[in-house]
Amino acid sequence: MKKFYYILSVFFILNFSYAECQGDTNLDDIINVQDIILIVNHILLIESLQGESLNNADANNDGGINVIDIVAVTNLIINNLNQCENSIPIDLSLEWEFEEDLSYFNYEELQNIINNQIEELNYLKGIVIIHNGKIISEEYYNGSSISEIYNIWSVTKSYTSTLIGQAIDQEFIFNSDYTLNNFLPNYINDYLETVTLHDLLSMSSGYFDYYGYPTWVNVSTSELVSMPYSGLNYFNYNNSACHLNSHIIYEGTGMTPMQFANANLFPYLGITNPYWLDGYNNINDGSASLYLRLRDMIKLGQLFIQDGYASENNQIISSDWIEKATSEIIPTGIAGLDNYGYLWWIPQEGYLAYGFGGQFIAVIPERNLVIGTHSDIYSNQLYQTTLLNIIYNQIAPIFENN
């Protein structure tokens, strides 16, 4: 019998994983009295902890859960050591760091996917995978490199949405429920009294996509607001109408989108005065034509995962805006990209910035995961669908969903 208990004890200890965040039993990345209550309930057999919660409850790493762990967690709280490392925002103005310890996930499986599937994609030029704020994989193909600067195409839309959010946060412009005549008061058009900024951001303004690329950048505000329209409340992907967001930034802030971004966004992401196509009144393209490196492009995704914090004590976009922008606002009728937010696609998990040809920022907050890709613009739809399938159905499941 003693031998049996000895074997059972050894089995328990060997299978007891090391805590990812000691004391954080409810997995909210903050250590507080709620975690102590869960530990007490576990000890009293009221409600058992399992998995990562059980691991984190073992605050002194002795392989068991008892009153000593309650004391250890209390000390963490008293000494203000109550924030998990992964929850502390990284400084996005700095270069990315590489994760040195890759043993905490199935790195072999990830490498197998990269070597046998990612590398076989003929149009792929680069992929960067960020987990817990650090690079765990970065590869470049087909003549591309870490330093290549390229047109991120419609990923620009998600940047434009962020600038609109900042302008609302800073009270330069009204919130998204207001009709467009409030943002463009100098332009007389009956339809502006009907369509809202919400409609414009969710691709449901009813405007026809009247101008081709890059013509919409060069036409006046008056010409844009006078485009033909049909009706509201249905999804119609529209570059011309989307560019009106840049005109709203210009009218509301007195700055071009580039000037506003250089003051409020780009420096906090470590982006220095990038090229961004402009046209009428030097207003930058709200739909495309921002040029960035892949490493820089994906910082927007990490900013959103960090709840708008560009560094530990500097929130540059509100949590409220992030929640609105990445919510399911309108169905698209497109399989796999079933819903749309405020210039973000809403797929099966998280949210996605999608640029022409396969420029992607896949953001999956539940897994603390950001995946960015750079693709040849001459890629086909099969390639893009395959790449998204690999991202969401093969790479993402490697990382635990919290």
Side-chain angles (χ1 to χ4, degrees):
M1 183 62 71
K2 289 182 179 179
K3 185 176 182 181
F4 169 76
Y5 283 121
Y6 173 76
I7 293 172
L8 186 62
S9 300
V10 171
F11 176 81
F12 176 78
I13 293 170
L14 289 177
N15 285 276
F16 201 96
S17 302
Y18 186 79
E20 287 193 14
C21 182
Q22 293 173 324
D24 179 28
T25 55
N26 62 354
L27 306 181
D28 65 353
D29 291 329
I30 298 294
I31 303 162
N32 53 32
V33 68
Q34 295 175 359
D35 299 297
I36 294 176
I37 292 170
L38 290 176
I39 295 173
V40 170
N41 286 344
H42 178 85
I43 294 171
L44 297 177
L45 303 180
I46 296 173
E47 185 176 358
S48 296
L49 296 169
Q50 297 179 353
E52 187 179 344
S53 295
L54 182 62
N55 297 342
N56 289 350
D58 182 20
N60 66 340
N61 291 316
D62 66 353
I65 310 299
N66 50 45
V67 69
I68 298 175
D69 296 298
I70 296 174
V71 173
V73 173
T74 303
N75 284 333
L76 290 172
I77 297 170
I78 292 172
N79 291 297
N80 292 319
L81 300 173
N82 61 335
Q83 193 168 9
C84 299
E85 182 178 352
N86 290 340
S87 71
I88 300 173
I90 64 169
D91 188 341
L92 293 172
S93 69
L94 305 177
E95 265 295 1
W96 292 104
E97 294 182 5
F98 280 87
E99 176 58 68
E100 295 179 358
D101 179 14
L102 301 175
S103 64
Y104 71 91
F105 68 96
N106 193 337
Y107 181 69
E108 184 178 344
E109 182 179 354
L110 177 61
Q111 280 301 110
N112 181 59
I113 294 170
I114 290 173
N115 294 337
N116 296 310
Q117 297 187 62
I118 291 293
E119 288 187 3
E120 297 300 313
L121 297 174
N122 293 333
Y123 298 104
L124 186 64
K125 304 195 79 174
I127 182 168
V128 179
I129 303 174
I130 308 292
H131 189 240
N132 294 336
K134 293 183 178 181
I135 293 176
I136 60 167
S137 183
E138 180 178 30
E139 303 290 343
Y140 295 92
Y141 310 97
N142 296 310
S144 186
S145 68
I146 191 174
S147 60
E148 182 177 358
I149 297 171
Y150 60 96
N151 190 341
I152 67 173
W153 294 100
S154 287
V155 173
T156 304
K157 291 180 172 70
S158 300
Y159 274 86
T160 300
S161 170
T162 303
L163 295 176
I164 287 283
Q166 289 183 308
I168 291 172
D169 287 344
Q170 297 175 37
E171 300 183 347
F172 281 109
I173 62 176
F174 296 107
N175 69 48
S176 58
D177 294 328
Y178 280 73
T179 52
L180 294 189
N181 59 302
N182 292 283
F183 303 95
L184 304 168
N186 298 321
Y187 300 90
I188 299 175
N189 185 297
D190 290 343
Y191 195 53
L192 295 181
E193 299 177 9
T194 302
V195 62
T196 64
L197 180 58
H198 170 93
D199 300 323
L200 200 63
L201 289 165
S202 59
M203 294 288 182
S204 57
S205 68
Y207 275 120
F208 294 169
D209 197 0
Y210 196 66
Y211 300 102
Y213 179 79
T215 306
W216 66 71
V217 184
N218 297 310
V219 300
S220 68
T221 311
S222 180
E223 290 173 294
L224 284 173
V225 300
S226 301
M227 291 186 297
Y229 57 87
S230 56
L232 298 170
N233 301 322
Y234 71 93
F235 180 80
N236 178 36
Y237 194 78
N238 188 326
N239 288 299
S240 302
C242 181
H243 181 52
L244 266 172
N245 288 293
S246 279
H247 287 248
I248 287 171
I249 292 169
Y250 178 77
E251 294 286 339
T253 68
M255 292 178 273
T256 66
M258 177 72 141
Q259 290 169 333
F260 189 70
N262 276 336
N264 296 281
L265 181 62
F266 290 154
Y268 303 104
L269 302 183
I271 299 171
T272 305
N273 200 32
Y275 176 74
W276 192 356
L277 180 68
D278 61 39
Y280 176 76
N281 277 349
N282 301 121
I283 298 172
N284 305 95
D285 187 352
S287 293
S289 310
L290 175 60
Y291 284 69
L292 298 173
R293 298 184 309 156
L294 177 56
R295 276 189 167 201
D296 295 329
M297 183 185 83
I298 60 174
K299 283 190 174 179
L300 184 66
Q302 186 64 33
L303 176 68
F304 273 48
I305 274 191
Q306 295 182 177
D307 209 23
Y309 282 84
S311 57
E312 187 169 355
N313 297 306
N314 186 20
Q315 189 176 27
I316 63 171
I317 181 76
S318 68
S319 310
D320 180 61
W321 182 260
I322 290 174
E323 183 177 353
K324 283 182 179 179
T326 60
S327 295
E328 297 180 358
I329 292 174
I330 191 164
T332 65
I334 301 173
L337 299 172
D338 301 280
N339 291 281
Y340 202 73
Y342 281 175
L343 306 183
W344 287 90
W345 296 88
I346 315 300
Q348 61 203 57
E349 270 194 287
Y351 37 94
L352 174 73
Y354 192 142
F356 179 66
Q359 327 311 322
F360 296 140
I361 309 175
V363 188
I364 309 178
E366 295 82 2
R367 302 180 190 273
N368 208 3
L369 184 67
V370 183
I371 301 175
T373 64
H374 171 204
S375 302
D376 192 308
I377 62 169
Y378 297 108
S379 73
N380 54 42
Q381 190 58 51
L382 176 61
Y383 158 82
Q384 294 167 41
T385 302
T386 301
L387 179 55
L388 287 175
N389 178 65
I390 293 172
I391 289 172
Y392 286 103
N393 297 324
Q394 297 185 55
I395 295 177
I398 292 174
F399 302 93
E400 186 170 353
N401 190 329
N402 291 325

